[in-house]
Amino acid sequence: MSEPTYKIQEEDLIRGDISEYLNRHETKDLLRILTCGSVDDGKSTLIGRLLYDSHMIYEDQLEKVAKDSKVYGTTDEEFDPALLTDGLKAEREQGITIDVAYRYFSTDKRKFIISDCPGHEQYTRNMATGASTCNLATILIDARYGVITQTKRHSFICSLLGIKHVVVAVNKMDLVDWSEEKYNEIVKDYNAFVARLGFSDIHFIPMSALKGDNVVEHSENLSWYDGPTFLHHLENVNISTDRNLIDMRFPVQYVLRPNLDFRGFSGTMASGVVRVGDEVASLPSRQTSKIKAIYGPDGQIDEAFADQAITVTLEDEIDVSRGNMLVPVNNVPHIGNEFEAMVVWMHEGAAKSGKSYLIKHTSSMVPGVLSSIRYKVDVNTMKRDKNEEEVTSLELNEIGRCHITLHRPIAFDPYEKNRTTGAFIVVDRLTNVTIGAGMIVDRIVSKPGHKKAPVSQNIVKSESLVSAADRANLLKQKGSTIWLTGLSGSGKSTIAQQLEKELIEQGHLCYILDGDNVRHGLNRDLGFSMEDRKENIRRIAEVAALMNDAGVIVITSFISPYISDRAAAREVIGDDSFIEVFVDTPLEVCEQRDPKGLYKKARSGEIQQFTGISDPYEAPESPEITIATASVEPDAAAGLIIGDLASRGILG
């Protein structure tokens, strides 16, 4: 629709249907904008000019700015647009921006909230605060100096905070004689370094914010530029696809119970769409129910989506309280008490490894520990800071990749996937002051040689008066783990059961840890992704090691498809106590057996990430025992293993 046609329609609406006119403006799209750049690049001036040229300033404000311009103005002109946003006395005196200033305005097409952020390095925390809720970043570059360190630093922070849309405003073109050559040089330099930052939309606009060229109206001085003006681009940039409407996440903020007949759960939709009748799970308990009704501000509705504040009721009386999260049963986020995150430190008191803090994540507040700081990021070079070999603290305005351990599990997504459920703030336990902000990178997974981080640093292992040798003498056996690995349907569970039966009959204490059984309890929060499989094996190895220490022979029956995971399990249990048994059965034989019908479902696409079909199986390179079940019966296999255990001195 052309601009004149739109205005004619607006005028008709005002005359004929004022309610529709008001409703149209109330429901206009909202764009949150961040301005950043080095000191004196003209951030505040650009915003002031944008407001002034689009006639969004009241007359009394203009009079005040004109008066202040005579005292604090830095432009040698009667009107300094920067004073519209630099409101603090210290900002006006120094001619710089210190605090984040927010300005609201609207045009015929869209509503805007602009965050004017400081450019100084010492105010990095302020910039991160302003950027955390923005859809689009405006990065100003002084045409005289081109891409400088501050430009790279601010671009990196915008990328870190998940901003996808960037406008590079090449400002002060009047000071380089409106040079197209200079502009093209800056475009080339910026594109050269920004390629790995993950921005999906970058747009360049040459302008003079002070003189208003290409801010609201096209500039005659920049006739070689045929792109949109700054305001035109802001009004038309498409952000509708930025919202995550796939992964439904509803953090419960409040349990609404006005009378005995109503129990609703209130909150703001973090992402996705929820409809009446949807089957949902309450995390972290995983109890399930169905959505009975959804209530918005104006009454009952059939569906709700991201950013709406709603109340839902459930068909069943399950345990749901503040801090829980309702999610689809077939699309569950990570649940755990450990994760790695990029943390921006915002307090004069440094962050210390091992110190306890409160972690505010969605609607829950959980005590936690900054277990370790893997490394700091040099925001000027976007690389790891190599000046320190072992990082133990984060100072004010520093950014580091940290390992966080919480006292109880929470449900979370990586920040890249979900900006609401992947973000958190760090709160001081004594003062309740916000001292840091973090973006979750991923959950912690097991790695060979990975040392488990404790929740508290003040834990000391206690020694027992009974040794492993004492238990071995009592039980006439040495605690060990028989690790059966092979494809689904290879016969692992059958051999494990036969082996357990024969060992018990011979008077040996043993126990089976079966893959399916542990996923009903200990590992019920894990799926079948590579990360979850690693965590599954890590937990089993820890349990087996404890049982071995108690003198029990453990028989495990897991596909455990990856060599690295089995190596990690061997490291946890100990090489002397780990007996790897490769149940070697060809895939076609396993598929023919298919006792649970899983291969059939995997072939039809009903099951994703199924080992042997869509996921790889890495056979052991040098197992202690190999059993070809295509030619060996289960009782013979059990006898073979028992003979091996006896030869190793495990059975007394």
Side-chain angles (χ1 to χ4, degrees):
M1 183 187 304
S2 66
E3 200 79 20
T5 307
Y6 181 83
K7 287 186 176 178
I8 291 171
Q9 281 193 1
E10 290 280 288
E11 290 171 1
D12 290 343
L13 268 181
I14 293 172
R15 284 193 295 269
D17 190 350
I18 189 65
S19 297
E20 175 58 26
Y21 172 81
L22 293 174
N23 181 60
R24 175 182 288 189
H25 283 266
E26 185 181 342
T27 55
K28 276 191 298 191
D29 199 13
L30 173 64
L31 180 71
R32 294 175 181 271
I33 311 164
L34 166 80
T35 58
C36 50
S38 186
V39 179
D40 292 335
D41 277 352
K43 300 180 295 298
S44 301
T45 303
L46 174 60
I47 296 174
R49 175 58 67 180
L50 181 65
L51 297 173
Y52 180 74
D53 286 358
S54 54
H55 310 295
M56 296 296 166
I57 306 172
Y58 296 112
E59 288 185 4
D60 59 333
Q61 290 177 313
L62 274 176
E63 287 178 13
K64 189 171 188 311
V65 171
K67 188 185 298 180
D68 289 343
S69 297
K70 296 176 183 175
V71 180
Y72 302 110
T74 58
T75 59
D76 295 329
E77 296 187 15
E78 292 185 356
F79 176 70
D80 184 355
L83 296 180
L84 283 166
T85 55
D86 287 344
L88 296 178
K89 184 179 179 183
E91 292 177 324
R92 296 186 171 198
E93 287 176 349
Q94 299 179 53
I96 63 171
T97 302
I98 296 175
D99 199 2
V100 181
Y102 294 96
R103 291 299 299 240
Y104 170 86
F105 76 102
S106 69
T107 64
D108 291 338
K109 294 184 177 178
R110 194 170 241 172
K111 294 183 287 189
F112 302 92
I113 294 177
I114 303 180
S115 308
D116 182 19
C117 294
H120 286 71
E121 185 170 356
Q122 69 189 86
Y123 302 123
T124 297
R125 58 177 172 174
N126 305 49
M127 187 200 157
T129 303
S132 61
T133 58
C134 287
N135 309 106
L136 180 146
T138 303
I139 296 176
L140 280 97
I141 296 178
D142 190 324
R144 295 172 297 173
Y145 309 121
V147 178
I148 59 176
T149 302
Q150 290 278 65
T151 312
K152 296 179 181 178
R153 188 162 64 86
H154 289 171
S155 298
F156 169 70
I157 295 173
C158 289
S159 167
L160 185 69
L161 289 163
I163 295 176
K164 301 294 183 188
H165 306 278
V166 170
V167 174
V168 181
V170 184
N171 193 23
K172 303 189 181 182
M173 289 296 294
D174 52 317
L175 300 182
V176 294
D177 297 327
W178 314 102
S179 168
E180 183 179 7
E181 184 182 349
K182 185 67 180 177
Y183 169 77
N184 290 333
E185 183 184 327
I186 291 171
V187 172
K188 182 181 177 184
D189 290 346
Y190 190 82
N191 280 330
F193 101 91
V194 82
R196 57 196 173 104
L197 289 186
F199 295 133
S200 60
D201 172 28
I202 302 176
H203 199 88
F204 295 87
I205 301 176
M207 65 174 63
S208 170
L210 181 62
K211 298 183 180 301
D213 293 74
N214 274 350
V215 177
V216 174
E217 302 293 339
H218 276 287
S219 168
E220 295 180 358
N221 297 311
L222 296 162
S223 55
W224 45 264
Y225 172 76
D226 58 359
T229 64
F230 183 59
L231 179 60
H232 185 272
H233 182 76
L234 297 184
E235 285 185 322
N236 293 283
V237 63
N238 181 17
I239 59 168
S240 60
T241 56
D242 294 354
R243 282 195 298 180
N244 183 342
L245 295 176
I246 298 173
D247 308 300
M248 196 281 280
R249 305 287 186 257
F250 181 61
V252 176
Q253 293 174 290
Y254 183 69
V255 180
L256 189 62
R257 194 165 175 78
N259 55 57
L260 292 176
D261 300 324
F262 188 93
R263 181 167 173 256
F265 310 101
S266 304
T268 301
M269 287 286 293
S271 60
V273 180
V274 63
R275 297 180 178 86
V276 174
D278 283 356
E279 191 174 3
V280 295
S282 172
L283 300 181
S285 71
R286 286 184 179 266
Q287 289 182 286
T288 62
S289 182
K290 286 186 176 180
I291 299 292
K292 183 179 180 181
I294 304 172
Y295 299 89
D298 299 322
Q300 201 160 340
I301 53 180
D302 294 329
E303 64 178 21
F305 47 85
D307 296 337
Q308 279 188 295
I310 58 170
T311 296
V312 301
T313 57
L314 302 178
E315 291 187 356
D316 307 288
E317 293 294 329
I318 63 173
D319 181 15
V320 182
S321 59
R322 176 180 167 82
N324 291 167
M325 188 184 295
L326 297 180
V327 302
V329 293
N330 56 357
N331 182 358
V332 178
H334 294 313
I335 302 172
N337 68 334
E338 288 185 84
F339 50 79
E340 287 200 356
M342 300 301 293
V343 174
V344 181
W345 201 247
M346 300 179 166
H347 196 260
E348 288 79 4
K352 302 283 187 183
S353 291
K355 190 172 179 180
S356 182
Y357 300 98
L358 292 175
I359 305 298
K360 177 76 167 58
H361 173 262
T362 62
S363 56
S364 63
M365 182 87 86
V366 185
V369 173
L370 181 59
S371 299
S372 64
I373 303 170
R374 287 186 56 192
Y375 57 81
K376 292 181 186 176
V377 177
D378 185 336
V379 293
N380 295 324
T381 62
M382 299 181 293
K383 295 179 180 176
R384 294 187 186 187
D385 191 343
K386 297 181 179 177
N387 295 326
E388 297 182 58
E389 292 184 358
E390 184 179 356
V391 184
T392 57
S393 64
L394 273 183
E395 304 293 338
L396 174 64
N397 291 319
E398 287 188 330
I399 298 173
R401 179 158 176 160
C402 302
H403 176 179
I404 308 288
T405 305
L406 305 180
H407 284 208
R408 65 172 184 269
I410 61 171
F412 61 88
D413 293 290
Y415 184 80
E416 187 178 19
K417 182 178 181 182
N418 194 314
R419 290 177 72 174
T420 302
T421 58
F424 62 90
I425 59 173
V426 185
V427 178
D428 186 272
R429 299 193 68 159
L430 296 178
T431 63
N432 273 334
V433 171
T434 299
I435 51 180
M439 287 70 67
I440 297 174
V441 178
D442 207 349
R443 63 187 302 165
I444 301 294
V445 297
S446 59
K447 299 174 183 175
H450 172 65
K451 185 180 179 181
K452 179 76 173 171
V455 168
S456 172
Q457 299 296 302
N458 301 315
I459 293 176
V460 180
K461 276 191 173 181
S462 60
E463 299 295 333
S464 172
L465 298 177
V466 180
S467 68
D470 294 335
R471 297 190 186 94
N473 289 331
L474 176 67
L475 298 172
K476 309 300 181 191
Q477 64 185 39
K478 178 186 170 188
S480 300
T481 297
I482 318 303
W483 194 279
L484 299 173
T485 175
L487 292 168
S488 176
S490 60
K492 300 183 300 298
S493 296
T494 306
I495 294 174
Q497 291 163 3
Q498 185 66 30
L499 178 61
E500 182 187 36
K501 178 174 177 293
E502 294 191 19
L503 283 172
I504 291 291
E505 287 176 351
Q506 293 179 20
H508 296 293
L509 181 59
C510 59
Y511 188 77
I512 294 178
L513 292 175
D514 181 80
D516 283 2
N517 292 350
V518 296
R519 283 182 181 274
H520 279 85
L522 175 67
N523 293 345
R524 66 184 178 186
D525 59 323
L526 301 178
F528 291 90
S529 66
M530 178 181 285
E531 291 174 1
D532 283 355
R533 286 181 187 275
K534 285 177 182 292
E535 178 62 12
N536 182 46
I537 297 304
R538 187 194 69 77
R539 294 182 191 179
I540 296 303
E542 294 283 0
V543 171
L546 285 173
M547 296 179 75
N548 287 167
D549 193 47
V552 179
I553 295 173
V554 176
I555 306 165
T556 71
S557 175
F558 298 93
I559 296 174
S560 47
Y562 303 115
I563 290 175
S564 61
D565 293 348
R566 297 194 294 270
R570 184 185 289 271
E571 184 178 323
V572 171
I573 293 169
D575 194 44
D576 292 341
S577 303
F578 188 87
I579 313 297
E580 187 175 38
V581 180
F582 178 30
V583 183
D584 185 9
T585 309
L587 175 62
E588 53 272 20
V589 175
C590 296
E591 198 164 352
Q592 191 175 8
R593 293 173 179 170
D594 202 10
K596 301 173 185 174
L598 300 179
Y599 282 99
K600 187 177 179 181
K601 291 182 179 179
R603 289 290 185 192
S604 67
E606 191 175 341
I607 298 179
Q608 304 293 324
Q609 297 178 313
F610 191 79
T611 302
I613 304 298
S614 51
D615 261 16
Y617 175 79
E618 299 171 357
E621 295 174 348
S622 54
E624 277 76 8
I625 303 171
T626 299
I627 297 173
T629 60
S631 57
V632 179
E633 294 297 319
D635 55 346
L640 186 65
I641 296 172
I642 290 174
D644 185 89
L645 297 181
S647 68
R648 294 173 186 272
I650 293 173
L651 303 180

